[in-house]
Amino acid sequence: MSLPAAPLRRRALARTVVALSAIAATALALTGCSAGSASADSKTVTFLSWDSQQTMQPVFAEFEKENPGYKVQASYAPPVPQYIQKLQTQLGSGTAPDVFIITAENKTQIMNGGFAKDLSGESWISNVAKAARDTYTKDGKVYGAAVASWGGGFLVNKDLLAKVGYSAPPKTWDDFLALAKKLSSAGITPFYEAADGVPVSLAALLGLENESHGGSMDKQIWAGKTTFAKTWTPAVKTWNKLFTESAEPRTVAGLTGDQVTQQFEQGKVAMIGTGSWNLGAVQQAAPNLKLDFLAVPGASGESYWAGAVSPGYAINAKAKDPAAADKFVQFLQSKKGVEIYQKQTQSITTTADFTPSLDPALTTMSSAVRDGKFYLPQVSWPDHSDVLNSEAVALLQQLIAGKINPEDVGTGLDAKLQSTK
């Protein structure tokens, strides 16, 4: 994951993202230079990246070194809305590159529309983590090769916590609230979390609920076997104690992820809810902070991480140079390709043949993330994630402001899901 792009990706994952709907029927004029202009026998693979040129150039250079005669012709668009819009334009006008990024936000449309090649028969696909394969699978066919995942929890300022005698992570949600009260009594702002998306802490609490349903909570909701009201309400009630017990001010309803991070970087708040993708940016802005990531504790003593599989590499079903595309994606998930990418991005990579060397602050979460033990509702929802995400954010902001009750969140999501049918 590209650190310069992380704030954009954070905001975009938390907000409503324009879905890739009706691509096949949309033929928009292509803006910028075409990424799909290589001839079929040129040994040139065209690639649309949302990681920056600075991040990807070492990867390209090694690919070309190991594959004499092959070249990567790359174009770039920042994540997520800008990237999806550019890809939509290219797919609609038949100018899409040989290889592009498939994301949680556009995977359904990409897979349903037949825009990506089935990778399930590739000899190397087993090197891709199971959680990554599952994320980009439809009807037993794999359409994306993701090489990393991210985790989310509490990023803490260890020096501020030490001022109130902190020595070990809270085991329960009530322990976390007690820690927040100690910080508040010491004149230290305990906790901030952005309200411009489904908060990381709530996502982790919902992950525990999902685990109690055997990892199929959302499938059961969509099948009519349970409801948002039944599954979300316990977690939302627990999470709402942040505001009813003054661990977090209700004014966070108006804060963005960037604003929360800036407060943390300036030492004005002891803990924030965020993801591993934010660590590098925080360290760069505030190199003297002593940091650690903590899992989110549940009501009964279990803990969990928010998180999701990172975007994957997809091969255009109508690639102009399919052989070059195959060779390139095979390299991107190879040990050498992942090693270079991880060095550039500090991502928690998940491929089987490479174990990343990570910042000590990520040690606690790394094994869980590499094992796929995380949850993010927007990614797990079978469809209509854009509409439901907008509704969830609106309802949670009302809850934070004290205008509705925890039960109203699940009821509202049930109503919104019903309206999509």
Side-chain angles (χ1 to χ4, degrees):
M1 178 176 289
S2 170
L3 295 178
L8 284 169
R9 187 172 294 128
R10 176 175 67 246
R11 293 194 297 270
L13 275 171
R15 295 174 177 170
T16 303
V17 177
V18 178
L20 258 172
S21 56
I23 298 176
T26 306
L28 301 175
L30 179 64
T31 58
C33 60
S34 172
S37 59
S39 63
D41 59 354
S42 66
K43 289 190 174 181
T44 295
V45 55
T46 54
F47 175 49
L48 179 60
S49 174
W50 72 0
D51 286 301
S52 68
Q53 182 175 5
Q54 180 181 4
T55 294
M56 295 304 297
Q57 193 56 49
V59 179
F60 301 157
E62 183 63 26
F63 169 74
E64 292 171 356
K65 176 183 175 182
E66 292 190 12
N67 298 275
Y70 283 85
K71 298 292 181 183
V72 179
Q73 180 182 322
S75 56
Y76 303 87
V80 172
Q82 297 97 318
Y83 184 92
I84 289 180
Q85 183 60 54
K86 183 168 184 175
L87 180 61
Q88 177 177 344
T89 298
Q90 293 179 335
L91 289 169
S93 59
T95 57
D98 297 324
V99 177
F100 54 80
I101 300 296
I102 184 171
T103 77
E105 292 82 8
N106 70 3
K107 66 177 184 177
T108 299
Q109 291 77 15
I110 291 293
M111 295 188 295
N112 288 350
F115 295 106
K117 176 186 175 181
D118 174 18
L119 305 176
S120 55
E122 299 291 342
S123 61
W124 46 262
I125 196 65
S126 60
N127 190 45
V128 176
K130 182 180 183 301
R133 297 196 304 271
D134 290 348
T135 296
Y136 300 114
T137 292
K138 177 179 172 59
D139 298 330
K141 297 179 180 180
V142 182
Y143 294 96
V147 301
S149 295
W150 63 269
F154 298 142
L155 181 61
V156 303
N157 181 326
K158 294 168 70 175
D159 285 337
L160 290 181
L161 294 189
K163 292 183 178 181
V164 296
Y166 169 85
S167 59
K171 294 182 178 180
T172 67
W173 191 256
D174 285 341
D175 289 343
F176 174 71
L177 296 177
L179 174 61
K181 288 179 181 178
K182 287 183 180 179
L183 289 163
S184 184
S185 296
I188 301 169
T189 301
F191 181 66
Y192 274 174
E193 192 167 29
D196 55 356
V198 176
V200 164
S201 58
L202 177 57
L205 293 172
L206 290 167
L208 286 170
E209 183 68 24
N210 182 52
E211 286 286 293
S212 73
H213 286 75
S216 63
M217 178 175 74
D218 295 299
K219 290 181 180 178
Q220 292 180 38
I221 293 173
W222 261 249
K225 296 179 180 180
T226 187
T227 63
F228 280 110
K230 291 178 181 178
T231 57
W232 274 51
T233 299
V236 174
K237 282 184 174 179
T238 297
W239 180 77
N240 193 48
K241 291 181 181 180
L242 286 170
F243 309 102
T244 59
E245 299 191 17
S246 302
E248 186 175 17
R250 294 188 184 274
T251 53
V252 298
L255 295 181
T256 66
D258 285 342
Q259 290 171 324
V260 167
T261 299
Q262 288 167 4
Q263 292 292 303
F264 184 77
E265 291 167 351
Q266 295 168 12
K268 296 180 179 180
V269 59
M271 303 178 287
I272 60 173
T274 189
S276 56
W277 32 255
N278 204 15
L279 178 62
V282 171
Q283 290 174 324
Q284 191 172 33
N288 294 325
L289 290 184
K290 295 179 182 178
L291 305 173
D292 199 9
F293 259 109
L294 308 181
V296 176
S300 303
E302 314 91 339
S303 62
Y304 213 71
W305 298 97
V309 171
S310 297
Y313 301 110
I315 296 177
N316 190 338
K318 297 181 179 179
K320 293 178 174 60
D321 197 335
D326 286 346
K327 189 174 288 289
F328 183 52
V329 174
Q330 182 173 359
F331 173 78
L332 289 173
Q333 62 76 47
S334 70
K335 184 175 182 179
K336 176 58 71 173
V338 172
E339 180 181 9
I340 296 172
Y341 181 76
Q342 200 280 328
K343 183 178 180 181
Q344 291 294 109
T345 64
Q346 298 303 303
S347 299
I348 303 177
T349 55
T350 57
T351 48
D353 63 356
F354 175 75
T355 301
S357 178
L358 298 169
D359 187 281
L362 299 177
T363 300
T364 306
M365 75 162 66
S366 62
S367 60
V369 171
R370 284 179 57 81
D371 289 341
K373 297 296 185 181
F374 47 66
Y375 178 79
L376 195 70
Q378 305 96 305
V379 175
S380 297
W381 290 332
D383 52 38
H384 303 296
S385 61
D386 55 338
V387 174
L388 288 166
N389 184 65
S390 293
E391 185 69 9
V393 171
L395 289 166
L396 290 170
Q397 288 179 342
Q398 292 179 63
L399 178 66
I400 293 171
K403 296 180 179 179
I404 63 174
N405 297 316
E407 295 83 356
D408 298 326
V409 175
T411 301
L413 286 173
D414 283 326
K416 179 58 67 172
L417 178 59
Q418 188 62 37
S419 73
T420 65
K421 297 179 178 179

